[in-house]
Amino acid sequence: MVLNYIWIAFFVLAFLVAAGKLILLGDLTVFPAIMQSTFDTSKTAFEISLGLTGVLSLWMGIMKIGEQGGLVNALARWLSPLFSRLFPDIPRNHPVFGNIFMNLAANMLNLDNAATPLGLKAMEGLQELNPRKDTASNPMIMFLVLNTSGLTLIPVSIMVYRAQMGAAQSTDVFLPLLLATFASTLTGLIVTSLYQRINLFNRVLISTLGSLCLLVAGLVWAVSQLSREEVDLWSTSLANILLFGIIMTFIAAGVRKRINVYDAFIDGAKGGFETAVRIIPYLVAMLVGIGVFRASGAMELLMEGITGAVRACSGDTDFVGALPTALMKPLSGSGARGMMVDAMKTYGPDSFAGRLSSIFQGSTDTTFYILAVYFGSVGVKHTRHAVACGLMADAAGILAAIGVAYLFFG
């Protein structure tokens, strides 16, 4: 229902802005631009789904090997003490815990192409446990909020973009980004727990959250001891080694169980095409709404309003140049990526806005894209508090990103 209102709001606001530009400014290009955006974004939605087909088939095949090889069940048993408290509606030692962990691990390593199919696999498992098939369950919402908060330990792609844009130190946003994304994830977890009345004050959760805080502090210290070249080398190499290591571990588990690894892969991969086709309508709907909003000039108008409000309060407006990335990120990952590149091109990769846009890009994930694709893949229509919790996590990530950017680069 919330997505319904948001989708309608995109079109209504776009129409009002476009009508105002036509009547008041005599702009005859605005409505053709809007209509062109509907065709372009529809095509983009199909191309994204088509592009996902191969990756979905690969990782669903690998996950099928892990299931038949017993590795997913082993992960579920290992994670059960923690996940059974975050997801109390899921039976202990359920295999879906393993799928959830694999998805979150891929997100932490900034492996977008691997994370999506793993997440869709987890959603299928959660839907099997869902008593109301058209309504999001509490475990689904907790899982998606942890997804949309976008905890990233190694932001490889962002550092690559910064290097391509000529940044003197492409890794200089690593520490600020890590702090911002941690704040986003922690906020999302706490807010969702309050909605679902999950008790966070127990030994397992407190010790886990404390350990994560220590891990983040340790990573901050370790990275501060490395040179830029060493950070680039280790972060890129580690992400790819871990990804290939996961594939080899799953295959080894299948061989150990003496299953037909090839047949298991083929069986799992068949579902990749079906899933890619199933999400096309949801992607088209969301991307067209976003495209219309952008093409009408509503986004530009919003940015001008924010700049005026900040100046009226005698605030510093250096961060405003990076705000389009932050505002676009919950709506579209590719759109936010384009905004980030545009900010670095306009202001320079080593400017405050250029660095902050990079932190925005990595501090949260594409909330509405994830909700549309993941819920759409299993036919969920009523999202309950998923949007509210996801946007609160996004807001925390944006505020934290601005704060740490001023701390490091202001």
Side-chain angles (χ1 to χ4, degrees):
M1 186 63 70
V2 176
L3 288 178
N4 173 55
Y5 293 141
I6 291 171
W7 196 68
I8 292 173
F10 282 146
F11 284 90
V12 172
L13 291 173
F15 174 76
L16 292 176
V17 172
K21 292 173 73 173
L22 176 63
I23 296 171
L24 300 177
L25 303 178
D27 188 348
L28 299 177
T29 64
V30 60
F31 280 101
I34 289 176
M35 288 310 303
Q36 184 61 44
S37 75
T38 63
F39 298 124
D40 292 342
T41 50
S42 298
K43 180 181 177 182
T44 299
F46 177 77
E47 290 173 346
I48 290 174
S49 299
L50 190 64
L52 278 174
T53 303
V55 179
L56 283 169
S57 298
L58 168 65
W59 284 100
M60 286 188 170
I62 294 296
M63 288 300 296
K64 179 61 73 173
I65 295 173
E67 288 176 3
Q68 296 187 9
L71 195 59
V72 173
N73 286 332
L75 277 172
R77 289 193 298 272
W78 179 60
L79 293 166
S80 186
L82 170 63
F83 278 9
S84 62
R85 288 166 172 80
L86 287 178
F87 303 92
D89 295 337
I90 301 177
R92 290 180 66 89
N93 301 325
H94 195 280
V96 76
F97 284 149
N99 296 328
I100 291 173
F101 172 78
M102 295 299 296
N103 168 262
L104 296 180
N107 274 327
M108 290 179 188
L109 297 173
N110 204 217
L111 304 172
D112 298 335
N113 290 337
T116 299
L118 294 172
L120 293 174
K121 183 67 177 178
M123 282 296 287
E124 290 179 1
L126 292 172
Q127 179 69 332
E128 292 176 3
L129 299 170
N130 186 9
R132 300 171 60 190
K133 300 303 182 184
D134 65 341
T135 303
S137 64
N138 282 348
M140 284 181 171
I141 294 173
M142 175 63 80
F143 170 60
L144 288 187
V145 171
L146 292 177
N147 243 283
T148 61
S149 62
L151 179 61
T152 302
L153 298 183
I154 307 176
V156 177
S157 61
I158 293 173
M159 291 190 289
V160 168
Y161 276 110
R162 288 186 54 74
Q164 290 175 339
M165 295 300 294
Q169 290 190 345
S170 61
T171 58
D172 57 6
V173 299
F174 179 88
L175 295 180
L177 195 155
L178 184 62
L179 295 174
T181 190
F182 184 69
S184 170
T185 300
L186 190 60
T187 299
L189 190 152
I190 292 173
V191 168
T192 308
S193 296
L194 291 175
Y195 263 98
Q196 300 180 2
R197 299 182 180 179
I198 296 173
N199 179 23
L200 293 176
F201 296 99
N202 63 76
R203 186 173 60 184
V204 173
L205 287 177
I206 289 177
S207 61
T208 301
L209 292 176
S211 299
L212 285 174
C213 291
L214 290 175
L215 174 62
V216 170
L219 283 171
V220 170
W221 176 84
V223 170
S224 66
Q225 307 302 307
L226 299 175
S227 66
R228 177 177 64 84
E229 292 77 11
E230 289 172 328
V231 173
D232 282 337
L233 175 63
W234 278 101
S235 60
T236 304
S237 299
L238 183 61
N240 287 284
I241 289 170
L242 287 176
L243 183 58
F244 190 67
I246 290 171
I247 295 175
M248 291 305 301
T249 301
F250 275 48
I251 293 175
V255 172
R256 181 176 175 273
K257 282 283 187 177
R258 297 185 178 181
I259 66 170
N260 189 319
V261 176
Y262 179 79
D263 284 349
F265 177 86
I266 296 298
D267 186 38
K270 288 178 181 178
F273 179 78
E274 297 171 2
T275 301
V277 171
R278 200 159 57 238
I279 67 176
I280 289 175
Y282 299 91
L283 263 183
V284 170
M286 187 55 62
L287 292 186
V288 166
I290 294 167
V292 166
F293 187 73
R294 292 179 62 191
S296 69
M299 176 66 77
E300 183 181 353
L301 191 64
L302 177 63
M303 297 308 305
E304 291 175 355
I306 293 174
T307 301
V310 172
R311 285 176 177 163
C313 297
S314 301
D316 186 274
T317 59
D318 288 348
F319 72 93
V320 175
L323 269 187
T325 305
L327 297 176
M328 184 56 64
K329 190 60 191 284
L331 304 175
S332 166
S334 59
R337 193 178 304 115
M339 296 291 190
M340 176 188 69
V341 172
D342 182 68
M344 287 192 284
K345 183 178 179 180
T346 302
Y347 303 100
D350 294 323
S351 66
F352 184 83
R355 285 168 167 154
L356 179 55
S357 66
S358 301
I359 301 172
F360 281 147
Q361 175 69 8
S363 59
T364 60
D365 214 326
T366 49
T367 299
F368 291 109
Y369 171 87
I370 289 175
L371 293 179
V373 170
Y374 282 36
F375 281 140
S377 70
V378 293
V380 168
K381 298 178 181 177
H382 306 292
T383 61
R384 299 174 61 215
H385 52 275
V387 175
C389 292
L391 290 180
M392 281 189 267
D394 290 340
I398 290 171
L399 293 175
I402 294 172
V404 296
Y406 274 107
L407 180 65
F408 278 79
F409 309 118

